[in-house]
Amino acid sequence: MVVPTYDEAENIAWIIGRIRSAQPAVHVLVVDDSSPDGTGQIADGIAASDEHVHVLHRTAKGGLGAAYLHGFAWALEHGFDVIGEMDADGSHQPEQLHLLLDALDRADLVIGSRWVPGGSVVNWPRRREALSRGGNLYVRLLLGISVRDATAGYRLYKRETLEQIDLAGVRSTGYVFQTDLVARTLAAGLRVVEVPIEFVERERGDSKMSGAVAAESLRRITRWGIAQRRAQVRRAVRELAGRGSDR
């Protein structure tokens, strides 16, 4: 499991312990963006006594997507066949990881979803829930996909999935990264399966999500959607022109 961190000193030992207890065979890769609160050093201490825990230190805060890309590259290089994502703040419960693992036999990407039947959120204000639901509806309509929680960050990818979706071409570094990889997976003709999870709002530390971050994500998705629709129109025009020339 790739776990990106920035100022998660209050949570990192706690979440690693929960992952290792829930799934003892799973390896944990902490990708720390030079946290000034010492998160990376805490992770180093854990890794020194647990061969299933690994740490990557990045020299600057480069965004969620950039941290995941770094972690994916490390995991692929080291031969892992299943590569996952999980937040460090406990909102993604390690005790539910088995639900995602069980779905891997019928999927190329498994998403722990808040917005499929059986999924839920805990301790979210109504405004934040409405924003997430509305944002995901916007993604579905604009990008023409059926995934109900394309912004979710609790995931498992098969190795072959990451090898097929051109990670080198990914330019999204913020939270929109999650939607980007869902769209790339579907465009490659691969299978995405959502399983319901209970998402729990963090109890300690500060959330990295803000109104500005959400707005930037929506702007990027809008640009992708418009570009996709334009490409569809051009293809349709070419097909009509081709049919006309055959008459």
Side-chain angles (χ1 to χ4, degrees), residues 3-45:
V3 181
T5 56
Y6 185 78
D7 281 356
E8 294 289 356
E10 294 179 278
N11 292 315
I12 190 59
W14 172 65
I15 198 65
I16 291 175
R18 287 177 63 187
I19 297 170
R20 297 288 292 115
S21 176
Q23 295 290 338
V26 168
H27 286 248
V28 181
L29 173 63
V30 176
V31 183
D32 186 65
D33 277 8
S34 296
S35 297
D37 71 349
T39 301
Q41 288 68 42
I42 295 172
D44 282 337

Side-chain angles (χ1 to χ4, degrees), residues 62-192:
L64 183 72
Y68 273 129
L69 288 173
H70 197 164
F72 291 169
W74 184 94
L76 290 169
E77 179 183 344
H78 285 77
F80 288 94
D81 293 325
V82 177
I83 300 165
E85 303 181 15
M86 179 185 288
D87 288 350
D89 60 12
S91 55
H92 300 141
Q93 300 178 71
E95 295 77 15
Q96 295 186 332
L97 181 54
H98 68 94
L99 300 174
L100 281 69
L101 289 165
D102 289 346
L104 264 180
D105 61 348
R106 53 192 172 92
D108 301 295
L109 162 59
V110 179
I111 297 175
S113 177
R114 299 159 291 186
W115 309 131
V116 295
S120 62
V121 296
V122 177
N123 296 330
W124 263 20
R126 289 184 178 180
R127 180 177 178 278
R128 186 170 177 187
E129 180 173 343
L131 179 63
S132 180
R133 286 184 180 272
N136 274 287
L137 175 60
Y138 185 71
V139 167
R140 292 200 301 277
L141 294 175
L142 197 63
L143 300 185
I145 63 177
S146 60
V147 174
R148 299 189 64 83
D149 200 353
T151 62
Y154 198 4
R155 305 181 172 198
L156 294 179
Y157 295 89
K158 287 182 178 176
R159 176 187 186 87
E160 295 80 7
T161 303
L162 294 178
E163 291 174 336
Q164 288 183 57
I165 61 175
D166 185 26
L167 292 178
V170 175
R171 294 292 177 264
S172 52
T173 58
Y175 282 83
V176 73
F177 170 84
Q178 308 291 16
T179 303
D180 189 353
L181 263 62
V182 169
R184 286 171 180 266
T185 300
L186 292 170
L190 302 175
R191 298 165 297 170
V192 177

